[in-house]
Amino acid sequence: GMVPAATGTQTAGSIVRPASFCGVYAMKPSFGTIPRTGMLKTTDSLDTVGFFTVYQRDLRRMFDAMRVHGKNYPISHAALGDETRQHKGKQRPWRVGFARTHTWDYASKAAKDALERFIHTLATHQGVAVADAPLPKIMEKTHETHATIYDKSLSYYFQNEYAEADFLSPIMNELIERGAAITIEDFKIAIDLQTSMIYKMDAYFGDFDILISLSTAGEAPARNKTELPDPALMWTLTHLPVVSAPVFTSENGLPFGIQIVARKYNDYLLLEFLGYLESLGMIPARSMYARERQGYQNKK
């Protein structure tokens, strides 16, 4: 609650996960739409700049302020300025896919039940056509493909730091050592797989405007527990724009979010859908922390 917005970066799920666990809004835009100049490079085909906000409506303001503009960026300029891509139009309902993904079984029962209730309620609205969205089979390889690209890249970019391994965390050392064992041939195969996934998911959105999945497997785990696999890195790997919305509260009173996904470069369509959900009362106008703080101030 100290600032209305903050920037962040995501190579796997480093924007979506903290947003989900802290009950705030966050957006990881389409890959390449926000410049990476000056940031620490870890993985060329994954590193993405995004942001967190208190209010849903501020997601668009942040994206407008931070993204690249103009014809010097011909691909994103053409796509982001294409009205047929960025607006659904009034003649048909929103086509929304419910993506359980191959990480679904890792989610807690409470998280799965919460998302299924959300989808069921959404489907009752006349302006929405909801369907199950089984993903292309290749998407089941996203986590292993991501690990190959990520670990190998870290071992390359941090080889000088690894020479002073005592100053690195045990986890960082482990990642670098794992990456060093990956062959260049296996790295190239993983890059080719990522490219195939990007094209597959771009074509996949011919059937849907929006996909909805969990942001995380549930509430934030205890510090001595490892986070369970979730869909966040899937959409990073395939360069898709996502928003994590602070919708759910666990049985322990802790937040976790839903992840709303659109076709690459359809960032404004994604934000338009967020506005629609807010108009239905299905997502809040402001983050969980802001709502709690307002309640506290009202009591005072």
Side-chain angles (χ1 to χ4, degrees), residues 3-292:
V3 294
T7 58
T9 62
Q10 178 159 308
T11 304
S14 297
I15 291 173
V16 169
R17 283 175 179 157
S20 177
F21 294 150
C22 295
V24 300
Y25 276 104
M27 183 174 184
K28 181 208 75 69
S30 295
F31 179 82
T33 53
I34 297 180
R36 300 185 296 189
T37 306
M39 68 175 277
L40 179 67
K41 182 185 291 188
T42 62
T43 313
D44 296 86
S45 67
L46 298 172
D47 292 343
T48 310
V49 181
F51 43 85
F52 306 84
T53 65
V54 172
Y55 288 88
Q56 184 277 131
R57 65 175 181 267
D58 287 339
L59 293 169
R60 180 173 184 129
R61 291 170 175 163
M62 287 292 288
F63 183 63
D64 280 339
M66 294 182 69
R67 76 171 180 87
V68 295
H69 291 264
K71 295 181 179 179
N72 286 340
Y73 307 91
I75 297 174
S76 61
H77 177 71
L80 292 171
D82 184 345
E83 294 295 315
T84 62
R85 289 187 61 152
Q86 303 304 333
H87 298 286
K88 172 188 69 66
K90 298 180 180 179
Q91 303 306 313
R92 63 170 180 82
W94 286 98
R95 299 171 300 175
V96 177
F98 178 18
R100 288 179 175 84
T101 83
H102 65 279
T103 65
W104 181 251
D105 289 342
Y106 291 101
S108 67
K109 183 179 184 302
K112 289 189 280 191
D113 289 347
L115 184 58
E116 286 177 337
R117 287 193 298 270
F118 181 93
I119 293 293
H120 176 76
T121 302
L122 182 61
T124 64
H125 293 278
Q126 291 184 345
V128 185
V130 177
D132 283 333
L135 299 177
K137 189 71 175 175
I138 194 174
M139 292 296 288
E140 294 180 5
K141 297 181 178 180
T142 49
H143 283 67
E144 60 188 84
T145 302
H146 182 282
T148 299
I149 296 171
Y150 182 63
D151 294 355
K152 188 62 178 177
S153 298
L154 288 183
S155 72
Y156 174 77
Y157 283 119
F158 291 88
Q159 53 190 301
N160 291 333
E161 285 78 4
Y162 185 64
E164 301 287 344
D166 290 344
F167 292 97
L168 297 180
S169 69
I171 292 175
M172 189 64 174
N173 280 318
E174 180 184 335
L175 289 170
I176 293 172
E177 289 166 4
R178 203 161 61 210
I182 296 169
T183 66
I184 293 297
E185 290 71 23
D186 285 342
F187 179 76
K188 289 178 178 178
I189 290 170
I191 291 292
D192 287 343
L193 275 172
Q194 182 189 14
T195 302
S196 296
M197 292 171 186
I198 290 168
Y199 281 111
K200 286 277 189 183
M201 288 309 297
D202 190 68
Y204 187 80
F205 278 94
D207 297 323
F208 296 104
D209 303 306
I210 296 292
L211 294 180
I212 291 179
S213 69
L214 285 167
S215 294
T216 50
E219 66 180 42
R223 288 190 178 274
N224 62 342
K225 300 289 185 180
T226 301
E227 288 181 36
L228 294 171
D230 57 51
L233 71 75
M234 297 175 62
W235 317 130
T236 309
L237 188 72
T238 48
H239 291 180
L240 303 178
V242 305
V243 166
S244 182
V247 175
F248 304 127
T249 304
S250 74
E251 295 172 349
N252 295 320
L254 297 175
F256 63 97
I258 63 168
Q259 197 168 188
I260 305 167
V261 190
R263 181 187 178 192
K264 187 176 182 180
Y265 296 130
N266 282 17
D267 299 66
Y268 286 115
L269 182 73
L270 172 62
L271 293 168
E272 184 176 294
F273 183 69
L274 267 288
Y276 175 73
L277 287 181
E278 185 181 326
S279 74
L280 297 179
M282 294 206 62
I283 61 172
R286 56 187 176 178
S287 72
M288 183 175 294
Y289 177 82
R291 298 198 300 275
E292 290 177 349

